């Protein structure tokens, strides 16, 4: 497995693979990899001849008061995980490689991105779409892998690929959780012992909401109110949002129907965590 930091090195590697007629999968990440990322890499390895993992903490998707500087980084550990999972190339560019002086072209989606996380993170998806669009153009993969953990991101990327005719397939992968239910996240590392315990209210509320839907409840307000009550019972938790939306449009729904996303963002102390469940009716 190789680790490269320039766009040219990625292009050269992919060109050599293409000459041999090999297929290429891409797993975009911000690094500090865990079993959630690993499940995406695993699936990419199963479905493609060659797999590129990008490890890039993308500055343009962080707001001015967010955790860009503090975001955890450990390339050696990431490389070991990628290698043991069967990835072939890590692309680890410096911000200047992706955004050289004079950079001024962004992908700005006008729907889907103002809902849910877009309300508190107004520039987030512009940064995500721009960096993912760039990665698609640099790697030109046949397939790219994204986690349902970031369900709005997955919906946004699917729409971007459709609208802008990127010639690849997007593969969504299920949320990987800790044994006690907490969704795995690089940001879990910010939690102290008390916060780690308190963070369980997210998955507790998610499992409760999912069970209500499975038991036939269709009224979004009823489900959301019970979920919010579980979270509000925890003193260290502060709700950013808990909402039910149509998975394709991100529009709020009153009644569970079609493909529904029930998503939440909750502050545990200063750490903002997200979780969700998706139901097909
Ligand atoms: P990140 O490094 O947080 O930007 O995540 C990179 C990719 O891994 C995204 O597509 C995430 O949705 C996915 N991912 C992160 N955590 C998980 C998880 N617990 N389960 C499944 N996928 C995940």
């Amino acid at each position: 497995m190789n680790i490269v930091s320039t766009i040219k090195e990625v292009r050269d590697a992919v060109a050599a693979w293409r000459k041999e007629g090999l297929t290429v999968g891409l797993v975009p990440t911000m690094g500090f990899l865990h079993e959630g990322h690993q499940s995406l890499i695993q699936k990419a390895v199963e479905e493609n001849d060659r797999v590129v993992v990008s490890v890039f903490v993308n500055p343009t998707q962080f707001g001015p008061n967010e955790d860009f500087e503090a975001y955890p980084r450990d390339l050696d550990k990431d490389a070991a995980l990628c290698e043991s999972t069967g990835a072939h190339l890590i692309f680890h560019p410096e911000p200047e490689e992706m955004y050289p002086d004079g950079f001024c072209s962004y992908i700005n989606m006008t729907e889907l991105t103002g809902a849910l996380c877009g309300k508190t993170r107004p520039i987030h998806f512009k940064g995500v779409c721009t960096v993912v669009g760039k990665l698609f153009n640099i790697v030109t993969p046949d397939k790219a892998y994204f986690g349902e953990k970031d369900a709005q991101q997955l919906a946004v990327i699917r729409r971007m690929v459709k609208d802008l005719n990127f010639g690849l397939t997007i593969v969504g992968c299920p949320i990987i959780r800790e044994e006690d239910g907490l969704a795995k996240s690089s940001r879990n590392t910010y939690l102290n012992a008390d916060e780690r315990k308190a963070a369980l209210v997210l998955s507790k509320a998610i499992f409760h909401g999912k069970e209500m839907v499975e038991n036939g409840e269709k009224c979004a307000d009823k489900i959301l109110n019970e979920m919010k009550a579980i979270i509000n019972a925890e003193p260290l938790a502060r709700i950013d949002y808990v909402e039910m939306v149509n998975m394709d449009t991100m529009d709020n729904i009153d009644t569970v129907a079609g493909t529904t996303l029930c998503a939440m963002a909750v502050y545990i102390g200063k750490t903002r965590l997200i979780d969700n469940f998706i139901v097909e009716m």
Side-chain angles (χ1 to χ4, degrees):
M1 190 193 69
N2 278 332
I3 304 177
V4 299
S5 60
T6 67
I7 293 163
K8 181 176 184 315
E9 287 169 297
V10 178
R11 287 199 195 282
D12 288 350
V14 173
W17 296 336
R18 292 299 188 194
K19 253 193 182 160
E20 292 181 62
L22 302 175
T23 60
V24 179
L26 169 67
V27 183
T29 82
M30 297 207 298
F32 212 70
L33 304 179
H34 50 63
E35 289 89 338
H37 302 106
Q38 192 172 26
S39 71
L40 273 56
I41 299 168
Q42 181 80 55
K43 186 137 177 86
V45 167
E46 283 163 24
E47 296 186 349
N48 302 272
D49 298 319
R50 293 291 180 270
V51 171
V52 179
V53 179
S54 60
V55 174
F56 179 56
V57 185
N58 173 37
T60 64
Q61 71 189 64
F62 289 79
N65 297 317
E66 294 183 354
D67 57 343
F68 173 69
E69 298 292 344
Y71 198 85
R73 292 156 167 92
D74 188 343
L75 186 62
D76 289 343
K77 206 165 144 251
D78 291 348
L81 182 143
C82 287
E83 176 130 48
S84 70
T85 313
H88 302 84
L89 186 72
I90 292 182
F91 177 40
H92 178 62
E94 292 298 324
E96 298 74 36
E97 178 74 3
M98 294 298 270
Y99 302 107
D101 278 349
F103 184 93
C104 60
S105 304
Y106 292 87
I107 298 177
N108 189 23
M109 189 175 289
T110 55
E111 304 286 326
L112 274 69
T113 55
L116 307 180
C117 286
K119 280 187 208 154
T120 19
R121 308 188 73 190
I123 63 144
H124 177 67
F125 289 110
K126 182 176 159 190
V128 169
C129 287
T130 302
V131 78
V132 171
K134 282 172 68 72
L135 289 168
F136 288 173
N137 284 333
I138 293 163
V139 180
T140 62
D142 299 283
K143 295 183 177 184
Y145 297 79
F146 293 86
E148 288 176 357
K149 162 87 189 333
D150 299 86
Q152 184 177 15
Q153 170 175 280
L154 177 58
V156 164
I157 297 299
R158 283 194 197 283
R159 179 66 69 89
M160 179 182 85
V161 164
K162 181 166 174 261
D163 287 354
L164 299 183
N165 310 99
F166 282 100
L168 79 166
T169 304
I170 300 300
V171 181
C173 303
I175 298 177
I176 304 298
R177 297 177 179 280
E178 303 286 354
E179 258 178 37
D180 61 7
L182 179 67
K184 288 191 186 264
S185 164
S186 309
R187 289 192 168 97
N188 291 346
T189 181
Y190 296 148
L191 304 170
N192 67 30
D194 288 340
E195 291 169 342
R196 175 63 183 79
K197 266 186 225 152
L200 284 180
V201 287
L202 281 93
S203 51
K204 221 170 128 189
I206 288 293
F207 297 151
H208 182 72
K210 192 157 183 254
E211 197 181 320
M212 285 179 80
V213 175
E214 283 164 2
N215 290 337
E217 183 57 64
K218 288 199 165 53
C219 173
D221 271 349
K222 229 171 166 178
I223 298 161
L224 294 173
N225 285 339
E226 291 198 19
M227 292 173 68
K228 286 176 191 168
I230 291 172
I231 299 164
N232 287 330
E234 168 53 58
L236 292 179
R238 181 170 59 85
I239 292 175
D240 179 7
Y241 68 81
V242 184
E243 291 186 42
M244 274 191 153
V245 299
N246 175 294
M247 181 70 190
D248 298 322
T249 63
M250 298 288 123
D251 290 336
N252 285 99
I253 54 158
D254 299 325
T255 308
V256 180
T259 306
T260 299
L261 167 66
C262 179
M264 60 170 65
V266 176
Y267 289 93
I268 301 293
K270 287 200 169 94
T271 304
R272 184 174 175 281
L273 300 176
I274 57 172
D275 202 345
N276 70 76
F277 67 92
I278 299 169
V279 279
E280 314 259 358
M281 295 297 280

